Amino acid sequence: MVMNRKCILRLSRYKNALKRLKALGFVKVFSGNLADAAGVTSSQVRKDFSLFGITGNRRGGYKVDELVLRIREILGKNEIHKVVIIGIGNIGNALLRYKGFETGGIRIVAGFDIDPSRYQPERPVPILPLDEFRSYVESNEIKIGILAVPDVAAHHVSEIMIAAGIKGILNFAPIQLRGADDVVISNINLEVELENLIYFVNVADKSVPALVTEDD
Amino acid sequence: MVMNRKCILRLSRYKNALKRLKALGFVKVFSGNLADAAGVTSSQVRKDFSLFGITGNRRGGYKVDELVLRIREILGKNEIHKVVIIGIGNIGNALLRYKGFETGGIRIVAGFDIDPSRYQPERPVPILPLDEFRSYVESNEIKIGILAVPDVAAHHVSEIMIAAGIKGILNFAPIQLRGADDVVISNINLEVELENLIYFVNVADKSVPALVTEDD
């Protein structure tokens, strides 16, 4: 089965929307509801679902519970996924304390840094020396890591992560890291995102015609 | 001229790579260098540059200084761009303290929250009551805002931002916000990003064939 990142991103958005609808007491949902929530067309929603063998009908819609269950299966969300963070600066520290993940079956289990002043081994979510990264990741079978170190260290640290067996990296360092054959890397560059907005706001001011923004 | 977000994102990545090359003393750069840095092909780099009338040649390459200058022009980076943040929780606070933006001509000038315990009007980057958002944005002609409030508040707050004249929103709340005709919204959903990684790591474990990941 051929699948791409965008499709999986949409599934996650559908799931998040479904959790909210469920919280509001909805039992059934229609592709149009999810299209609104995910910012896509209804036909896109139905296309995505059919890709995973999820069926419903336009009149009856989909059962929220079944849909959540099925999407969680697809996204592998029926287990808790342990995630580590390297680089406990402003961003890393914020992610370490971020509560929003737990509900999604994602648990930040440890942070790592090279700065001894940041070590907090006794905390429930400990901050440990980078030297201990590999042994920790191996003994806890961690596959996902968040990289939040300065740009100059990012490439080197990503190699440490991959060498330790990390297969998925969410990179916040402002350089573009590329994955290997068996390693997926998502790059989140906040400066680039802001520059992107600034560009389009400026263009809008100057009202340059034919501005195309892709679905992201 | 037709342009899309992806192209602008690549330009930002080229610029960030150029800043690093310049710091290392490089005077000339070739499309291949930037392709590596941005994770695209050389022909993509040349295509992007030609779109903006930037010319070089494969032998001589591009002059780093001229390229930086031109890209900064295109991205509107020759002025300082003032950005505000609404929601000074973990993420908002981290962004408020994040130093990486200054070099890029982006300055976080103020934060806003509804929680009085977070107000710090005397700080160089003040944290102010949300009530003061509109007057502040109008008198300081702010066009870009970062939204870092809980999901339940996100839609309402985005309306407050747009009503105040914000034209570009970087949304960290875990719901998908859509822009209006003259408002661009970039959604960064950390949970979705992590789920996306988890999915592909799981698929790789189960070694499902024909995994397609789009260029993002």
Side-chain angles (χ1 to χ4, degrees):
Chain A
M1 171 161 55
V2 175
M3 228 166 305
N4 64 50
R5 294 176 78 123
K6 293 284 173 63
C7 173
I8 297 305
L9 286 169
R10 287 194 298 271
L11 278 186
S12 284
R13 288 175 180 149
Y14 301 152
K15 184 184 60 55
N16 292 341
L18 285 164
K19 285 194 303 194
R20 291 184 179 76
L21 288 166
K22 189 174 155 67
L24 293 172
F26 284 90
V27 176
K28 283 188 168 183
V29 63
F30 298 85
S31 52
N33 303 129
L34 297 174
D36 286 344
V40 298
T41 64
S42 306
S43 61
Q44 178 70 71
V45 174
R46 290 191 294 273
K47 207 173 121 217
D48 291 336
F49 284 0
S50 65
L51 181 64
F52 293 101
I54 300 173
T55 54
N57 64 71
R58 271 171 223 222
R59 272 217 203 64
Y62 305 87
K63 292 209 179 65
V64 171
D65 285 338
E66 291 176 9
L67 212 44
V68 171
L69 228 64
R70 183 76 185 95
I71 294 179
R72 286 175 67 91
E73 274 170 29
I74 293 162
L75 297 175
K77 295 302 298 300
N78 284 333
E79 56 227 82
I80 291 286
H81 296 280
K82 293 177 286 186
V83 175
V84 291
I85 302 175
I86 298 189
I88 310 303
N90 287 330
I91 302 292
N93 204 14
L95 295 173
L96 205 64
R97 299 159 185 278
Y98 185 62
K99 296 277 167 289
F101 294 138
E102 287 291 330
T103 57
I106 294 164
R107 182 175 300 151
I108 308 291
V109 291
F112 295 86
D113 207 288
I114 53 166
D115 178 354
S117 72
R118 290 175 175 170
Y119 300 164
Q120 294 184 300
E122 70 294 334
R123 267 176 52 165
V125 180
I127 300 172
L128 306 169
L130 187 54
D131 301 342
E132 299 176 18
F133 181 76
R134 183 167 195 152
S135 60
Y136 184 96
V137 163
E138 285 173 352
S139 54
N140 291 278
E141 295 178 323
I142 312 285
K143 295 281 172 239
I144 309 287
I146 295 172
L147 199 163
V149 301
D151 53 4
V152 290
H155 182 71
H156 175 60
V157 170
S158 70
E159 287 175 330
I160 292 174
M161 294 171 86
I162 292 166
I166 294 294
K167 299 299 184 188
I169 299 176
L170 185 58
N171 170 39
F172 283 90
I175 70 170
Q176 191 73 356
L177 296 176
R178 258 146 301 144
D181 300 348
D182 62 341
V183 180
V184 188
I185 300 184
S186 289
N187 295 283
I188 294 185
N189 189 324
L190 301 176
E191 186 183 349
V192 166
E193 292 289 342
L194 282 172
E195 286 176 346
N196 182 28
L197 286 176
I198 289 164
Y199 171 81
F200 285 107
V201 169
N202 286 345
V203 168
D205 280 355
K206 298 169 196 123
S207 65
V208 168
L211 174 63
V212 173
T213 71
E214 287 173 15
D215 163 37
D216 59 343
Chain B
M1 169 159 58
V2 175
M3 228 167 304
N4 64 50
R5 295 177 78 122
K6 292 286 174 60
C7 174
I8 296 305
L9 287 168
R10 287 193 300 271
L11 277 186
S12 285
R13 287 175 181 150
Y14 301 153
K15 183 184 61 54
N16 293 341
L18 285 163
K19 285 194 302 194
R20 291 186 178 78
L21 287 166
K22 189 174 156 67
L24 293 171
F26 284 90
V27 177
K28 283 189 171 182
V29 63
F30 297 86
S31 53
N33 303 128
L34 296 174
D36 287 343
V40 298
T41 64
S42 306
S43 61
Q44 179 69 72
V45 174
R46 291 191 293 272
K47 206 173 120 218
D48 291 336
F49 285 180
S50 65
L51 182 64
F52 293 101
I54 300 172
T55 54
N57 64 71
R58 270 172 224 222
R59 275 218 200 63
Y62 305 86
K63 292 207 179 66
V64 171
D65 285 338
E66 290 175 10
L67 212 45
V68 172
L69 226 64
R70 182 77 184 95
I71 294 178
R72 285 174 67 93
E73 274 170 28
I74 293 162
L75 296 175
K77 295 300 300 300
N78 285 334
E79 57 228 82
I80 292 284
H81 296 280
K82 292 177 287 186
V83 175
V84 291
I85 302 176
I86 297 190
I88 310 302
N90 286 329
I91 303 292
N93 204 16
L95 296 172
L96 205 65
R97 297 158 185 279
Y98 184 63
K99 296 275 167 291
F101 293 138
E102 286 290 329
T103 57
I106 294 163
R107 182 176 301 152
I108 308 291
V109 290
F112 296 85
D113 206 287
I114 53 166
D115 177 354
S117 72
R118 290 175 173 169
Y119 300 163
Q120 294 184 299
E122 71 293 336
R123 268 175 51 164
V125 179
I127 300 172
L128 306 168
L130 187 54
D131 301 343
E132 297 176 19
F133 180 77
R134 182 166 194 152
S135 60
Y136 184 96
V137 163
E138 285 174 351
S139 53
N140 291 279
E141 294 178 325
I142 313 284
K143 295 280 171 240
I144 310 286
I146 296 173
L147 198 163
V149 301
D151 53 5
V152 290
H155 183 71
H156 174 61
V157 170
S158 69
E159 287 175 329
I160 292 174
M161 295 171 84
I162 292 166
I166 294 293
K167 299 299 183 190
I169 299 176
L170 185 57
N171 171 38
F172 283 89
I175 70 168
Q176 191 74 354
L177 296 176
R178 259 147 301 145
D181 300 349
D182 61 341
V183 180
V184 188
I185 299 184
S186 288
N187 296 283
I188 294 185
N189 189 323
L190 301 176
E191 187 182 348
V192 166
E193 293 288 344
L194 282 172
E195 286 176 345
N196 181 30
L197 286 176
I198 289 164
Y199 171 81
F200 284 108
V201 169
N202 287 346
V203 168
D205 280 354
K206 298 166 196 127
S207 64
V208 168
L211 174 63
V212 174
T213 71
E214 286 172 13
D215 162 35
D216 58 345

